[in-house]
């Protein structure tokens, strides 16, 4: 008997749909789960290369988070974080 609740399965599906959408539009992004801030259902850090436009990626994340919320009813919050620039080798 599975102890996974139907609500948990739907949240997992919603997160998978969200991650797939982000990777489709920002293939260089690295995503990792974070502890939810408050009453969010799921929180993700979206780390992007320093050369990417942070605001454009944030807009992509917000658009897809709203679509997931409309489709599944879950609130996914993202924190977009530019990666530290790589220092040239000496």
């Amino acid at each position: 008997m599975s102890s996974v609740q139907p609500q948990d399965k739907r949240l997992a599906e919603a997160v998978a749909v969200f991650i797939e959408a982000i990777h489709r539009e920002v293939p260089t992004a690295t995503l990792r789960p974070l502890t939810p801030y408050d009453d969010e259902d799921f929180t993700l850090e979206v780390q992007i290369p320093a050369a990417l436009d942070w605001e454009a990626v944030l807009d992509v994340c917000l658009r897809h988070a709203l679509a997931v919320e409309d489709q599944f009813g879950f609130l996914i919050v993202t924190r977009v974080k530019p990666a530290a620039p790589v220092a040239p080798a000496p």
Side-chain angles (χ1 to χ4, degrees), residues 9-19 68-69 72-74 76:
K9 287 182 180 181
R10 287 204 30 90
L11 177 58
E13 182 182 357
V15 171
V17 165
F18 178 82
I19 289 172
V68 164
E69 187 174 7
F72 293 95
F74 292 112
I76 296 177

Side-chain angles (χ1 to χ4, degrees), residues 3-27:
S3 63
V4 178
Q5 300 298 317
Q7 186 77 349
D8 295 337
K9 287 182 180 181
R10 287 204 30 90
L11 177 58
E13 182 182 357
V15 171
V17 165
F18 178 82
I19 289 172
E20 182 179 317
I22 297 303
H23 277 167
R24 192 171 42 251
E25 289 198 46
V26 189

Side-chain angles (χ1 to χ4, degrees), residues 47-52 82-90:
Q47 189 171 36
I48 58 171
L52 284 182
V86 178

Side-chain angles (χ1 to χ4, degrees), residues 1-88:
M1 180 191 289
S2 174
S3 63
V4 178
Q5 300 298 317
Q7 186 77 349
D8 295 337
K9 287 182 180 181
R10 287 204 30 90
L11 177 58
E13 182 182 357
V15 171
V17 165
F18 178 82
I19 289 172
E20 182 179 317
I22 297 303
H23 277 167
R24 192 171 42 251
E25 289 198 46
V26 189
T28 56
T30 303
L31 288 82
R32 71 179 184 98
L34 298 173
T35 303
Y37 293 130
D38 193 20
D39 60 348
E40 296 83 10
D41 295 302
F42 204 84
T43 305
L44 284 167
E45 178 181 88
V46 180
Q47 189 171 36
I48 58 171
L52 284 182
D53 181 353
W54 176 87
E55 287 183 0
V57 174
L58 180 60
D59 288 344
V60 167
C61 290
L62 291 173
R63 181 168 34 90
H64 288 294
L66 289 172
V68 164
E69 187 174 7
D70 287 346
Q71 182 178 355
F72 293 95
F74 292 112
L75 179 59
I76 296 177
V77 173
T78 57
R79 182 177 77 185
V80 177
K81 177 181 173 185
V86 178

